Amino acid sequence: MKKIMITLALIMMTTISQAQTLGECQQAAEKNYPLIKQYGLIAKTTQLTVKNIQKAWLPQLTASAQATYQSAVTAWPERMQTMYQQMGLNMKGLSKDQYKIGVDLQQTVYDGGSISNQRNIAQQEGKVQEAQTEANLYQVRQRVNEMYFSLLLLNEQIQLNEDVKTLLLSSENKLSAMVKGGTAATSDLDNVRAERLSVEQQNESLKQQKQMLQRMLSVFCGIEVNNIHKPEPIQVTSSASNRPEMRLYDSQLKLTEAKEKALDTQLRPKLGLFAQGYYGYPGLNMFEDMMNRKWSLNGIVGIKLSWNVSALYTHKNDKARLSAQREMIENAREVFLFNNKMEEIQQSENISRYQTMIKSDDEIIVLRTNVRKAAESKLAHGIIDINSLLREISNENAAKTQQTIHEIDMLKEMYHLKYTNNE
């Protein structure tokens, strides 16, 4: 039982202390960002729109009712009415108040491809919205990068300060012993102690900044970020073809193509069946209704061919407008690629610069460490004062801090370049 408990405890400790990588934070942030919900909404809206467009092939039924009073109606000439009366026929003529309750049924047989093109446009508009959402979500990576590498830099600075505090504490203990032995002044001990307290104070400030930034990153990612992992240096090839903005431009171009095809369908004739039926007065048999003012059932069925020639008036201008839109999209893509290339050049040059500086940082740190150790030895033999040692400790720490800043900045530029090219 004890072995089982120990095993479970080790597993829990491993889980708690497991470091979050940059990639894990990126994925978590994208899933947590509210904009991700738009993917499902866009897909649902597009699906419903396409279904509604497809229903245009179903019979279109219209119900209507009307009641009218006319100033004049169809009537028999007075001579004919007199003649009919002599024959014993009462020809009342149509009544001025007329009523109708009817149903109109339309069935499309051939629409020239209009419904199909409307469906394609709706689907392509959905793809454009999805690509736009993906491009907006892509910017989340940049924000995660900034917070992640800033947090890494704070961690490194806190660790360096801890190292300096250890050195100062060691010197403080040695001076304390020397003061007791009468070989060092109390002011030297106070000076070192004040410097150590100053470093501790600075460390507390850095830890508070880390806590704030860690909380921000946790909220942004939707996970508890408590132990980040320093990524390895990477090599990035130059390519922007996988960027979501490129897919957005492609989707926009396909949308203009779908709209252009839809313009051609407007020039084609349309063929359909129709049926009309109504119950009312007067009916289709007008002579009967002039004699007997009764409501009756009436119906018409037929086939209808229509051609809207007015579409020719704007066809040329509509084509030119879509062509201008296509050119604007192409221009936007060229501008994006140009700016992206400039960003790549800048990031690549920064990486090379940091790599060169890091090489010299190693040598500077070795030299500063040697000088600091020599100063400690000289202080022990009374050759230099405590201020000289503190200055060398500060110089060594500054060299290590500078190297850390260069390393973190180099890594940040590498991963910025990676996401610039969407690798």
Side-chain angles (χ1 to χ4, degrees):
M1 188 66 182
K2 184 183 285 187
K3 290 182 178 180
I4 295 174
M5 294 297 293
I6 293 173
T7 304
L8 288 174
L10 288 172
I11 292 173
M12 290 178 65
M13 289 176 64
T14 303
T15 303
I16 292 172
S17 62
Q18 185 178 8
Q20 284 96 4
T21 65
L22 178 59
E24 290 171 346
C25 289
Q26 297 282 5
Q27 294 175 3
E30 289 183 3
K31 291 179 181 178
N32 183 59
Y33 204 65
L35 193 63
I36 194 69
K37 296 178 182 177
Q38 285 197 13
Y39 276 116
L41 296 174
I42 291 170
K44 185 176 181 180
T45 302
T46 303
Q47 184 181 14
L48 292 174
T49 302
V50 170
K51 285 183 177 179
N52 286 341
I53 292 173
Q54 284 293 105
K55 289 181 179 179
W57 285 110
L58 297 176
Q60 305 300 306
L61 189 65
T62 304
S64 63
Q66 70 176 39
T68 61
Y69 183 83
Q70 300 180 197
S71 61
V73 294
T74 303
W76 297 103
E78 189 175 342
R79 287 173 132 191
M80 291 186 67
Q81 197 171 11
T82 302
M83 182 179 66
Y84 282 133
Q85 288 175 350
Q86 291 174 354
M87 296 172 60
L89 297 174
N90 185 14
M91 305 299 289
K92 300 178 182 179
L94 294 178
S95 175
K96 290 186 178 182
D97 55 316
Q98 300 182 2
Y99 309 90
K100 181 186 293 185
I101 300 174
V103 174
D104 189 356
L105 184 66
Q106 303 282 340
Q107 174 61 60
T108 300
V109 176
Y110 173 73
D111 69 336
S114 177
I115 296 174
S116 176
N117 279 293
Q118 288 178 30
R119 183 185 67 244
N120 292 338
I121 289 174
Q123 291 173 337
Q124 198 57 47
E125 285 176 342
K127 291 180 181 179
V128 170
Q129 292 176 354
E130 287 181 354
Q132 182 65 66
T133 302
E134 186 182 359
N136 293 337
L137 274 174
Y138 192 76
Q139 305 304 318
V140 172
R141 296 184 176 187
Q142 184 76 9
R143 298 174 66 179
V144 172
N145 270 10
E146 292 294 337
M147 288 187 282
Y148 194 92
F149 284 105
S150 296
L151 197 54
L152 275 178
L153 183 57
L154 284 173
N155 283 341
E156 296 290 336
Q157 288 178 323
I158 290 171
Q159 185 57 51
L160 288 173
N161 273 14
E162 290 292 339
D163 294 341
V164 172
K165 188 177 77 171
T166 301
L167 284 176
L168 291 172
L169 188 60
S170 176
S171 298
E172 186 178 337
N173 292 333
K174 291 178 182 177
L175 282 171
S176 179
M178 292 171 68
V179 168
K180 290 179 180 179
T183 58
T186 305
S187 60
D188 290 340
L189 177 61
D190 292 341
N191 198 355
V192 174
R193 186 173 295 165
E195 188 68 23
R196 176 177 60 81
L197 291 174
S198 177
V199 170
E200 289 180 355
Q201 186 181 54
Q202 184 182 7
N203 235 18
E204 286 301 317
S205 176
L206 290 174
K207 287 178 181 179
Q208 290 178 4
Q209 293 180 44
K210 174 188 173 181
Q211 184 178 2
M212 177 194 68
L213 192 58
Q214 192 169 288
R215 186 178 177 186
M216 288 176 59
L217 185 58
S218 296
V219 172
F220 197 82
C221 296
I223 59 175
E224 190 63 33
V225 179
N226 48 28
N227 186 18
I228 61 175
H229 174 74
K230 187 176 180 180
E232 295 293 329
I234 56 173
Q235 295 294 329
V236 183
T237 56
S238 178
S239 173
S241 59
N242 293 326
R243 283 290 295 265
E245 290 87 349
M246 299 300 291
R247 290 189 286 276
L248 174 60
Y249 297 135
D250 291 339
S251 297
Q252 290 174 337
L253 288 173
K254 290 179 180 178
L255 178 58
T256 58
E257 291 175 5
K259 289 181 177 180
E260 193 169 7
K261 290 180 180 178
L263 286 178
D264 296 332
T265 62
Q266 296 178 2
L267 303 177
R268 298 169 187 167
K270 313 246 180 334
L271 182 66
L273 302 175
F274 71 92
Q276 296 175 345
Y278 71 92
Y279 178 67
Y281 172 85
L284 296 177
N285 190 342
M286 195 168 294
F287 286 105
E288 178 67 24
D289 292 334
M290 292 174 73
M291 296 177 63
N292 300 306
R293 296 177 178 178
K294 294 181 180 181
W295 286 36
S296 61
L297 287 171
N298 304 270
I300 302 174
V301 295
I303 185 169
K304 180 180 180 181
L305 179 68
S306 61
W307 187 16
N308 183 14
V309 295
S310 61
L312 289 168
Y313 304 156
T314 59
H315 185 74
K316 184 177 180 180
N317 290 337
D318 289 338
K319 284 268 191 180
R321 177 173 55 85
L322 289 175
S323 178
Q325 288 181 3
R326 188 182 298 108
E327 290 179 7
M328 289 175 64
I329 295 169
E330 292 286 1
N331 179 256
R333 178 159 58 183
E334 291 176 4
V335 171
F336 169 77
L337 289 173
F338 180 82
N339 291 335
N340 197 75
K341 187 63 178 178
M342 293 296 103
E343 192 174 355
E344 285 180 17
I345 293 173
Q346 182 180 7
Q347 291 167 346
S348 297
E349 290 299 320
N350 285 338
I351 291 170
S352 298
R353 179 166 57 88
Y354 288 130
Q355 287 173 337
T356 302
M357 295 171 73
I358 289 171
K359 290 179 181 178
S360 59
D361 284 334
D362 290 332
E363 186 177 357
I364 293 173
I365 290 173
V366 171
L367 295 174
R368 289 296 183 189
T369 301
N370 292 337
V371 172
R372 187 260 305 166
K373 290 179 179 179
E376 289 177 339
S377 177
K378 289 179 181 178
L379 178 66
H381 292 85
I383 300 175
I384 61 172
D385 59 10
I386 191 62
N387 290 324
S388 298
L389 175 61
L390 292 177
R391 183 172 61 252
E392 297 307 330
I393 291 175
S394 177
N395 288 338
E396 181 188 19
N397 182 60
K400 290 181 178 180
T401 301
Q402 198 66 28
Q403 184 189 48
T404 298
I405 293 173
H406 292 160
E407 287 179 350
I408 298 299
D409 284 343
M410 181 190 70
L411 288 173
K412 184 167 70 172
E413 290 293 338
M414 284 180 172
Y415 282 87
H416 278 347
L417 181 58
K418 175 183 178 181
Y419 293 120
T420 298
N421 295 325
N422 194 26
E423 288 193 355

